[in-house]
Amino acid sequence: MQHEAEAPPTPTETASGCVPEAAVAMADRAWERDEAEDTLDPRAALRAAREGLRAAEDRFRALAATSGEILWTADAGGRLSGDVGPWCAFTGQSEAEARERGWAEAIHPDDRVRVVEAWARAVDERRGYEDELRVRRHDGAYRHLLARATPIVEPGGIREWVGTGTDITERRVLEDRLRAANTELVVASLEAATRAGQLETMFESLADGLLVYDAGGHIIRMNGALRRLLALDRDPVYDERPAAERMALVHLRDAGGRPLTFEEWSVTRILRGETLTDAAMVSMIVRALDGRDIHMSVSGAPIRDVAGNVIGGIQIMRDVTERRRLEEERAHILSVVSHELRTPLTSLKARVQLARRAEETAQAAQAAQAATRREHLEKIEREAQRMERLINDLLDASRMESGALELHPQRRDLVALCRAAAEEQAAATGRPIALELPAEPVPAEVDGDRVEQILLNLLANALKFAPLDRPVRLSLRREGMVARIAVCDEGPGITPDDLARVFERFYRAPGADASGSNGAAGGLGLGLYIARGLVERHGGAITVESVPGRGATFSFTLPLELLA
């Protein structure tokens, strides 16, 4: 929509359609000067006004060129008028294209209708105009422009519009990047808050006590479970105290009740770089602030930075007081039962020995009856020996659980120990045992009785499953600084599921012969468990390999590095 001008241009209008106020002021001063000198010359005043107008317009154009703004003017109806050079220089349009409504062709198609309608409304409503739009530059690239226009109003109405166009593309790009960065930051913050909330929930839902330390041993975080377990609410500043004060308050002791030194504290070891898991897990007694003694199982690990430096640590403390009580109670029961069984067993063995001596002095006429009695006595003695082994197994298992099992290492020949165990087991079962032993002695610092017990347990297990017509093999060889002893049978083998459990306490594979019908007596499922415990206490390791249908091989190592 086009609009007619509401007032005719004044005689002093410039080529751009604009009369700068500076020029008008200059003309007024010229008239006043002529009147003061009483030499009024209208033509001279007009020339002075034109010169002032030209100078002001030159300054105006120079300012526009320097600022980089696109300056434009429009008549009262909104049509481009005056100098359209800056617009044409920016868009590459000709003056003819720019005038009338041709300027709209340089606007991005998606913005064009909106911009034209907004400009028409501003003209109709005679108010200032401001809008952002995309305009095609002379090189074909679209740039973001901020367009502003202000009407110049005279008593008769709007004379013209003066406007500017500012290239804000770089600013928009920066704003878009900033907006995207802010969006990413908000999303990351929300995700971090969500993860933090989840971690906090997990942290507080743990049944075990959890502590997080910094590199100096100061507590960063502590969960509610630990506060409740140790009654730490009785000391509101407990977690703010130095490590030495905290440890003094809870009286740290080892499982036997001995006070722990600074170097033995779990936090000290963790911040030193140790990982306390599995075999390295710490058992200790902690005094709660309400006076209770609590048995703790403590695990933990250091926290490291990208360079591998220890910057803190995390520690998990589990209350094992009840479990420890049950283990002690069970060990006590086993000890009492074993003691009660041993008493009649000792008496039984003594009577058998007395009967045997009496039998040896019997008269020759009673030889037949004596042979029968002797056979019964031998069976009684074997069963008594078996009962003794079962009781000893129960006692050893109890001592292992309580940590009371002691070793008495001495310099012993492993070859001789293997040979003695094989002979004893062969004599007891009447089964052959093939030996593969070095010709030279293999000395080691071991508890000879316990090593022989390991061998007897492994041989008894192998004889239990080996075919009657196939021997069990016992071998010994050096492997660097260790000796490897292996017991191999040609029985039905062990299934993969059973392989994972054969060393468990009281575990007996399904279908295992406990009656001794295969030439070896059954047991309680403690033989392999005890063998593993004794091997590990010697500093060795025990393994088993088996393929179903092809027998099984149990082997263990004993260190030789302690030899002089």
Side-chain angles (χ1 to χ4, degrees), residues 89-92 135-143:
F90 185 83
T91 63
V135 176
R136 186 181 62 247
R137 198 168 56 182
H138 57 80
D139 59 0
Y142 280 96
R143 306 287 290 179

Side-chain angles (χ1 to χ4, degrees), residues 389 393 414-437 449-468 470-476 485-491 503 513 516 518-523 526-532 535 542-544 552-556:
R389 285 196 302 272
D393 283 349
L414 297 181
V415 174
L417 291 175
C418 288
R419 196 181 303 280
E423 291 174 355
E424 180 178 340
Q425 196 65 268
T429 61
R431 302 281 302 280
I433 295 175
L435 299 177
E436 299 174 7
L437 306 176
D449 293 339
R450 293 301 187 181
V451 171
E452 190 169 348
Q453 183 180 355
I454 296 169
L455 293 168
L456 290 173
N457 285 355
L458 294 181
L459 288 170
N461 183 73
L463 290 168
K464 188 186 304 182
F465 298 102
L468 294 175
R470 302 297 300 172
V472 168
R473 296 189 301 278
L474 172 62
S475 64
L476 166 64
I485 301 173
V487 175
C488 181
D489 67 70
E490 299 179 25
F503 293 111
D513 180 10
N518 198 27
L526 288 173
L528 296 179
Y529 169 77
I530 293 171
R532 182 185 67 175
V535 168
I542 187 168
T543 59
V544 57
T553 299
F554 287 83
S555 63
F556 65 96

Side-chain angles (χ1 to χ4, degrees), residues 284-352:
M284 65 172 66
I285 302 173
V286 181
R287 176 76 49 82
L289 298 191
D290 59 4
R292 292 174 296 122
D293 278 342
I294 301 173
H295 288 266
M296 291 280 197
S297 175
V298 181
S299 60
I303 301 172
R304 302 178 183 273
D305 60 17
V306 293
N309 301 312
V310 176
I311 59 174
I314 186 168
Q315 181 172 282
I316 298 176
M317 306 178 72
R318 174 169 295 178
D319 181 2
V320 295
T321 306
E322 181 63 17
R323 187 180 72 186
R324 184 63 180 263
R325 186 189 66 78
L326 292 174
E327 289 176 351
E328 291 177 351
E329 183 176 317
R330 180 173 55 188
H332 175 70
I333 292 173
L334 288 174
S335 178
V336 170
V337 170
S338 299
H339 176 74
E340 293 299 323
L341 287 174
R342 186 181 294 276
T343 300
L345 179 62
T346 301
S347 175
L348 180 61
K349 291 177 65 177
R351 291 179 179 276
V352 169

